[in-house]
Amino acid sequence: MRIFIVLLLLTVSTTTALGQFGEPYRRAKVVLKSGEQLNGEGKFKNKGYKFKENEMAKPETIPYAHIDYLSITDNNLEKRVYRFYQFNGRKKYVKLELVIPGDKLELYVDQYNVNSTTSGGFSIGQTVTKFYLKKPEDPKPIYMGPYDPIVNQLKERVLEYFQDCPSLIEKVENKDFRMRDGLYQIVEYYNENCGG
């Protein structure tokens, strides 16, 4: 029983510590819709991107409505590009990562972690990836959804969206492209073989 209490206290204190410090500042380039470019470091917040030019500078919050895109250097020194969109008339902006750029089609993802507790009290972490597609004529990315093995609407949405590329539809129906692998191969195939 004592071990359980000690583990519980450690978990609570770790969660509290992470809640206090939150997301760290990361190297970033912010490109505003005005064309101005800002270099420094920042982090995502609900109301905007908290940005400062250097460690000593006072941070300012840039509303997502003013940002064209931002490029962040993550812990593995990889650059990640993000854009911000509003959906379904909501005020809140959704942060989408551009994972495959393209002249014909772009792939964006909204990725986050979910923790669920099993009946035995164990916590299981899972990454949820929601897919969005954007053609040049689309004002904003089109929501395709996540891959869900139980209620999989992703395949139906993909088949409907890619009506302009019969060879891609055939590959999906023949299971050359499987939804459980995400839309990465599908978007690369479309950019190389389809579209006008």
Side-chain angles (χ1 to χ4, degrees), residues 23-147:
E23 179 188 351
Y25 280 91
R26 291 191 170 89
R27 296 291 314 151
K29 176 174 85 169
V30 181
V31 178
L32 302 177
K33 290 182 178 172
S34 66
E36 183 182 359
Q37 292 187 18
L38 308 170
N39 290 299
E41 54 187 39
K43 59 183 174 178
F44 299 104
K45 291 298 204 181
N46 286 338
K47 295 186 178 180
Y49 191 66
K50 196 169 184 180
F51 178 82
K52 55 186 179 178
E53 289 185 11
N54 56 56
E55 287 184 19
M56 305 306 291
K58 183 179 178 184
E60 61 174 299
T61 300
I62 304 169
Y64 291 126
H66 298 174
I67 299 173
D68 182 24
Y69 71 91
L70 61 89
S71 175
I72 293 177
T73 305
D74 68 13
N75 294 338
N76 299 324
L77 300 178
E78 292 182 25
K79 289 194 187 261
R80 298 179 179 271
V81 173
Y82 295 91
R83 291 184 186 271
F84 306 92
Y85 295 97
Q86 292 172 301
F87 294 98
N88 303 324
R90 295 184 179 166
K91 289 184 179 181
K92 185 178 178 181
Y93 280 82
V94 177
K95 170 186 75 172
L96 298 182
E97 181 183 355
L98 174 63
V99 290
I100 299 180
D103 294 332
K104 299 175 188 176
L105 184 65
E106 294 178 329
L107 175 62
Y108 291 86
V109 297
D110 176 15
Q111 209 167 43
Y112 54 90
N113 295 319
V114 176
N115 288 322
S116 54
T117 306
T118 65
S119 58
F122 295 102
S123 180
I124 298 173
Q126 176 182 351
T127 300
V128 176
T129 303
K130 294 181 179 178
F131 297 99
Y132 293 77
L133 299 174
K134 185 179 183 305
K135 293 178 180 174
E137 64 270 18
D138 297 330
K140 63 178 74 171
I142 307 295
Y143 175 70
M144 301 304 284
Y147 169 70

Side-chain angles (χ1 to χ4, degrees), residues 150-194:
I150 299 167
V151 186
N152 188 9
Q153 296 180 336
L154 186 59
K155 184 174 181 179
E156 287 78 28
R157 290 179 178 150
V158 165
L159 291 172
E160 184 180 329
Y161 187 84
F162 289 107
Q163 288 297 311
D164 64 334
C165 186
S167 63
L168 193 152
I169 297 284
E170 187 178 333
K171 285 186 171 292
V172 171
E173 289 176 338
N174 291 340
K175 299 184 179 178
D176 294 332
F177 296 138
R178 294 180 176 265
M179 297 303 109
R180 68 176 177 225
D181 298 328
L183 302 185
Y184 309 100
Q185 288 180 307
I186 290 173
V187 171
E188 287 172 355
Y189 180 89
Y190 185 91
N191 280 328
E192 291 171 11
N193 302 287
C194 309

